[in-house]
Amino acid sequence: MKIAVEGCMHGDLDKVYETIKYIENTRNIKIDLLLCCGDFQAVRNEKDMECLSVPPKYREMKSFWKYYAGQEVAPVPTIFIGGNHEASNYLWELYYGGWAAPNIYFLGFSGVVKFGNIRIGGLSGIYNARHYHLGHFERPPYNDSTIRSVYHVREYDVHKLMQVEEPIDIFLSHDWPLGITDYGNWKELVRHKKHFKDEIQQGTLGSKAAAQLLEKLKPSYWFSAHLHCKFTALVQHEEGGPMTKFLALDKCLPGRKFLQIVDIESDPGPFEVQYDEEWLAITRKFNCVLPLTNQRGNFGNTQLDMQDFRQWVRSRLEDRGAKPCEFSQTAPPYNRSHPVSNTTFLGHPRNPQTVSFLEFLDLPYVLDNALESRDFPASLTQKDDYSEDIPIEDEDELEDVAEADNENQ
């Protein structure tokens, strides 16, 4: 199976798909799958743009909306995770994962799916110690604080991934696992990214949560983005244990290393995205403790052995099949002649895919549960320590520095 791995998409779907087509034609190969490591920017219209955490002068519609509207169709199956520049309102509709557009699948805030016999896991967002132990308390319309915190990784989603026991072939994260630079040529890295040196030497560059998952899951491949550069590493897990090939890539710009083709052994195709039995069982078991407030989550209140959940899910999959629910629109696509109102907030639409997914697992829909109070402690509403005037191409790197500093406070 030939897989194209892409770093930060930043909404430039047209350019990435054109690059894939060029590679296919020049190398006479067929790409089976595209994986995107975050900052996908699934912006459907102007309202989504308001939920994108970038300075207003850098907000641009880009090309995702055309695929959402059906004007274009992704020429290769695409799976993506979220980063820190996303239409967070839309991704929240698909918290458990689902089709963001035809042939474009969002892996969810955390998730595992199968593509053919290849097992792909992922964690959306970036790590921030201040918000890590809290629930998903943010709801649109976001304020200056929640538009940032909504994309911060939560312990609950990591805890679910830590329950995975069966082998993972590929794992996606937006920010890099903490300490990954120890396993690659970090001196060459800091030649090009001099401001990384202090963080690397202090052991603060990267995500603690991702490092925890890397140690537990030991996937064959781990792909990341966020820091807008290419970096490779090889992680040996214990003496004689499995190895993880790590690859981070840049964002889609001319002359930048944003795309790489990886050849992975697999069963013969055709390939399609399918639900993963173990992950569905984990989701069913832990959904009852999904934290939706600004309080610390409690994951101990679960009953029954995991095998009971596996057996229940297996029976449902035998009846229904493992194909995900079909794509459906929940908001009007961008139309230059009829712009979506910039003042009216339309509430929290229940995405039919999510409703069907929860009905399949016999679970209640709780994503639109609102907090009783919008008054958060000052520690949760303080602004991140960097300027809004930084261009988007540099903002990721500065945010990683700022949030590493916050972690040590």
Side-chain angles (χ1 to χ4, degrees):
M1 183 187 298
K2 287 182 169 53
I3 299 177
V5 184
E6 198 269 339
C8 298
M9 179 73 76
H10 288 301
D12 287 323
L13 280 72
D14 285 351
K15 295 177 182 177
V16 171
Y17 290 136
E18 287 168 6
T19 303
I20 288 175
K21 184 177 181 181
Y22 173 81
I23 291 173
E24 288 182 324
N25 291 337
T26 55
R27 299 187 189 178
N28 194 27
I29 61 173
K30 173 61 180 166
I31 304 300
D32 299 298
L33 175 67
L34 168 64
L35 298 176
C36 175
C37 302
D39 285 355
F40 192 80
Q41 295 184 200
V43 175
R44 301 166 295 178
N45 54 40
E46 299 91 338
K47 291 302 297 180
D48 285 359
M49 190 75 73
E50 294 176 9
C51 298
L52 190 68
S53 180
V54 298
K57 63 182 178 181
Y58 296 116
R59 288 176 178 168
E60 185 180 349
M61 193 58 63
K62 297 295 181 74
S63 58
F64 170 79
W65 68 271
K66 294 187 292 185
Y67 297 84
Y68 175 81
Q71 294 184 18
E72 302 283 351
V73 178
V76 56
T78 301
I79 296 175
F80 74 96
I81 58 168
N84 58 312
H85 299 301
E86 303 292 357
S88 298
N89 60 320
Y90 185 31
L91 298 192
W92 180 247
E93 290 181 26
L94 298 171
Y95 169 80
Y96 301 94
W99 300 108
N103 217 28
I104 300 175
Y105 192 86
F106 173 49
L107 205 49
F109 279 54
S110 62
V112 179
V113 296
K114 288 184 176 179
F115 188 73
N117 69 319
I118 299 299
R119 204 159 179 241
I120 302 169
L123 177 68
S124 290
I126 61 173
Y127 180 80
N128 180 296
R130 287 206 315 275
H131 300 125
Y132 181 64
H133 299 292
L134 307 182
H136 290 286
F137 63 88
E138 302 88 351
R139 301 290 182 277
Y142 305 115
N143 59 33
D144 289 344
S145 175
T146 58
I147 199 172
R148 294 184 180 282
S149 64
V150 67
Y151 57 69
H152 289 155
V153 167
R154 302 302 153 92
E155 183 182 21
Y156 171 78
D157 301 304
V158 175
H159 181 75
K160 287 172 62 182
L161 287 165
M162 291 291 288
Q163 310 308 306
V164 173
E165 297 293 341
E166 296 177 359
I168 295 286
D169 298 295
I170 297 171
F171 197 87
L172 309 178
S173 69
H174 189 54
D175 46 358
W176 303 7
L178 182 68
I180 194 66
T181 50
D182 294 344
Y183 298 91
N185 191 345
W186 67 269
K187 292 182 179 179
E188 178 66 18
L189 173 65
V190 299
R191 284 185 60 235
H192 302 283
K193 299 280 187 177
K194 293 180 173 58
H195 52 289
F196 288 178
K197 185 175 181 179
D198 287 345
E199 288 184 273
I200 291 173
Q201 292 181 339
Q202 294 165 11
T204 58
L205 181 69
S207 163
K208 284 185 177 180
Q212 184 182 12
L213 287 168
L214 174 60
E215 182 179 1
K216 169 64 167 64
L217 300 177
K218 303 176 177 61
S220 300
Y221 295 87
W222 187 298
F223 303 131
S224 297
H226 189 46
L227 298 184
H228 293 171
C229 61
K230 182 176 180 180
F231 182 76
T232 61
L234 191 61
V235 181
Q236 175 76 61
H237 300 282
E238 301 99 30
E239 186 176 350
M243 301 189 74
T244 297
K245 297 178 181 178
F246 175 83
L247 171 66
L249 290 167
D250 207 331
K251 67 174 180 175
C252 179
L253 281 177
R256 306 281 277 268
K257 297 175 181 178
F258 67 89
L259 191 73
Q260 185 156 324
I261 309 303
V262 179
D263 213 335
I264 296 179
E265 284 190 26
S266 69
D267 292 343
F271 309 110
E272 64 178 4
V273 176
Q274 291 191 320
Y275 288 140
D276 180 84
E277 180 187 301
E278 184 184 26
W279 183 250
L280 293 184
I282 292 169
T283 299
R284 178 168 163 78
K285 178 175 181 177
F286 287 96
N287 197 69
C288 63
V289 291
L290 170 58
L292 295 168
T293 73
N294 58 348
Q295 303 300 309
R296 187 175 185 129
N298 180 4
F299 317 133
N301 299 328
T302 55
Q303 301 174 350
L304 298 179
D305 182 75
M306 184 60 72
Q307 288 305 315
D308 295 326
F309 290 93
R310 289 291 295 266
Q311 186 175 354
W312 189 93
V313 167
R314 188 177 302 120
S315 175
R316 297 299 289 264
L317 287 173
E318 289 172 355
D319 293 338
R320 179 199 175 278
K323 194 173 182 179
C325 306
E326 293 185 0
F327 166 75
S328 59
Q329 291 186 2
T330 55
Y334 173 66
N335 184 330
R336 190 176 288 104
S337 301
H338 299 88
V340 175
S341 168
N342 289 325
T343 57
T344 303
F345 177 67
L346 302 178
H348 315 285
R350 291 190 172 191
N351 195 297
Q353 294 182 77
T354 302
V355 172
S356 297
F357 175 81
L358 292 170
E359 289 176 350
F360 167 58
L361 290 182
D362 195 21
L363 295 172
Y365 188 103
V366 296
L367 298 182
D368 50 9
N369 286 3
L371 288 178
E372 294 181 2
S373 172
R374 287 279 171 178
D375 297 325
F376 304 125
S379 61
L380 299 184
T381 57
Q382 66 188 72
K383 295 192 68 174
D384 286 320
D385 186 21
Y386 63 92
S387 171
E388 284 283 12
D389 294 328
I390 300 297
I392 189 170
E393 57 265 24
D394 298 322
E395 184 178 338
D396 279 321
E397 296 161 8
L398 286 178
E399 178 151 349
D400 194 77
V401 174
E403 298 198 354
D405 289 342
N406 289 331
E407 171 191 327
N408 295 325
Q409 290 177 359

